[in-house]
Amino acid sequence: MGEFELIRQFFMPLARLHGPHSIIVGPGDDCAIQRVPSGSDLVFSLDTLVEGVHFPFHYRPDYLGWRALAVATSDLAAMGADPTSYTLALTLPEADESWLRGFACGLGKAADAFGLVLAGGDTTRGPLALSLQVHGLIPRGAAILRSGARPGDLVAVSGTLGDAGAALDYLGAQACSDPQSFSADEAFVLKRYHHPEPRLELGAGLRGLATAAIDISDGLLADLSHILEASSVGANIEVARIPVSAALKRLKGTGARDYALHSGDDYELCVTIPEANWTGAPPSLKQQFTVIGVIEEAPGLRLDGAAVVSESDTLGFDHFRRKS
Ligand code: ADP
Ligand code: MG
C-alpha cells in the first residue's frame, strides 16, 4: 500500500464529522482551512508520542489512537476551550493494514467523542511515533491560563488521582494481554490509563469562574507547581482531602496517597477558584471537584503545612534531565 492509498483508506474517513464543523478545506490540499468566528480565540496545542517512551512497545493500536488524542485534547480542556479540529503526523515502520485499522478506529472513536474532525496531516516512514495538534475555540479572552491564581483562591481537582499511575504496575509485558485476566480493581486502573477522558465539559464550565487551570499529566505536585510558578504564589494542600478511588485504596493500601500525589496520566483538572465563585458555581460542576487546599502568598508548595522539599516532586517528568 502506498502513502496516498493509506491516507485515503484509513484517514480520509476521519475527516468527515457528522454534524456541523468549521473546517472549510480538509485533507487533500496543500493546507487545511478552518474558519474562526469573530469573537473567538483559536486555541491550539501539539503533543508527540514516541513508542517506548510515551507508550509501551507493541501497545494495542486502538488504545493508542484513543489515548493519543485524549491526551492532546486534555490540554484544550485545561484552557476551557471547545475542540474543533486536529492534524496528525504519523511515522510508521511499515504500512501494516491491521495495525492501521485498529489505530484509525481508536482515533475515530475519540474524535467523535470529543467533537474533533481530522483536518490534515503528514505520513512518513520510520520508528513508530505520532504528533497530534488539536485546535479549539473559546470566546475571546476567556481562556483559563496557568498564571491567574491569587492568594485565598481554593485549589480543587476533578475525579480521583493516582489510578492511571498505578496501572503502570500492571502494564509491563502484559500491554497486549486480555483485560479479563485482571481483577476488577486492576481492570479499573488499567482503563484509567488506556482510556483517559479529557474533562472538556468541566473546563468549559469553569470559564469565568476559575482563575487558573492545568490538566494533571505529570502528577498533582508537579502540575500544581506549574500553576504556582506561573502565578507567583504558593499553596497548602491537605493531603487527606485528595480524592482517591476505592479501587486504588484496595490495591495500594496506605501507598495510594503517593500515587495520588506523584503519578500522572489521569488527565484530571487541577484548578484555582476564588471562594465566592466556588460558592456560586452550579452544583453539577461542584460535584465533579474536590477542594484540596488553598493558594497562599508565600511561594512554594506545602502539604499539611510542611514544605515540599524534593525538587523531583515539583518538577515533574523531564525528558532531558539526568536521573540522580
Ligand atoms: P504536501 O507534500 O503538500 O505537504 P502531503 O503529501 O504531505 O502534502 O499530504 C497531502 C495531503 O494529505 C495533505 O492535505 C495532508 O494534510 C494530507 N495528509 C497526509 N497525511 C495525513 C494523515 N496521516 N492524516 C490526514 N491527512 C493526511
Ligand atoms: Mg503541498
Side-chain angles (χ1 to χ4, degrees):
M1 193 189 326
E3 177 188 326
F4 294 103
E5 175 54 20
L6 184 161
I7 295 167
R8 196 193 60 75
Q9 190 174 333
F10 294 105
F11 296 111
M12 286 299 191
L14 303 182
R16 287 186 287 272
L17 185 81
H18 330 281
H21 59 81
S22 49
I23 295 301
I24 296 162
V25 174
D29 212 315
D30 293 314
C31 292
I33 304 179
Q34 177 173 344
R35 187 149 292 163
V36 180
S38 61
S40 289
D41 287 332
L42 176 65
V43 181
F44 50 96
S45 166
L46 175 65
D47 272 302
T48 295
L49 284 84
V50 177
E51 184 179 37
V53 179
H54 303 93
F55 59 93
F57 286 99
H58 311 298
Y59 191 56
R60 266 180 64 154
D62 53 338
Y63 286 10
L64 178 62
W66 177 286
R67 192 163 185 278
L69 193 58
V71 166
T73 305
S74 177
D75 287 318
L76 293 178
M79 303 293 282
D82 296 319
T84 54
S85 70
Y86 67 106
T87 54
L88 163 69
L90 184 60
T91 304
L92 289 170
E94 59 189 337
D96 176 334
E97 288 194 31
S98 101
W99 190 93
L100 278 160
R101 197 171 303 116
F103 176 72
C105 177
L107 190 65
K109 277 187 188 159
D112 283 350
F114 311 151
L116 284 162
V117 61
L118 183 61
D122 197 22
T123 308
T124 53
R125 188 167 194 163
L128 180 60
L130 51 154
S131 296
L132 283 158
Q133 177 151 315
V134 289
H135 309 111
L137 296 172
I138 193 161
R140 185 164 295 170
I144 308 165
L145 310 185
R146 295 180 180 183
S147 52
R150 295 292 170 262
D153 288 354
L154 303 175
V155 179
V157 294
S158 64
T160 58
L161 304 186
D163 299 317
L168 296 174
D169 298 348
Y170 309 103
L171 272 182
Q174 295 186 301
C176 315
S177 73
D178 180 1
Q180 283 165 6
S181 62
F182 297 105
S183 74
D185 288 339
E186 288 165 353
F188 171 82
V189 298
L190 280 163
K191 187 167 186 219
R192 293 273 288 160
Y193 176 85
H194 293 311
H195 208 264
E197 307 211 18
R199 302 304 183 196
L200 290 163
E201 283 177 22
L202 300 186
L206 287 163
R207 285 179 209 156
L209 296 176
T211 46
I214 193 167
D215 61 321
I216 304 179
S217 56
D218 290 345
L220 174 65
L221 296 189
D223 289 315
L224 175 56
S225 292
H226 294 317
I227 287 184
L228 302 184
E229 192 145 304
S231 302
S232 305
V233 292
N236 183 45
I237 299 303
E238 290 177 52
V239 176
R241 288 211 202 180
I242 299 172
V244 176
S245 70
L248 185 65
K249 272 185 211 155
R250 284 190 296 265
L251 288 171
K252 299 295 174 189
T254 51
R257 166 190 183 275
D258 286 322
Y259 284 89
L261 285 171
H262 302 287
S263 68
D265 295 316
D266 288 309
Y267 297 97
E268 296 293 347
L269 297 181
C270 176
V271 308
T272 65
I273 181 166
E275 208 159 351
N277 292 0
W278 174 255
T279 309
S284 57
L285 185 73
K286 285 164 79 169
Q287 258 172 28
Q288 310 282 329
F289 283 92
T290 307
V291 173
I292 60 167
V294 65
I295 295 294
E296 298 174 338
E297 212 171 302
L301 180 51
R302 288 162 290 281
L303 299 179
D304 300 324
V308 176
V309 282
S310 161
E311 251 207 349
S312 63
D313 282 345
T314 50
L315 286 178
F317 186 71
D318 180 331
H319 286 274
F320 295 103
R321 188 148 38 94
R322 286 229 190 95
K323 291 200 176 80
S324 49

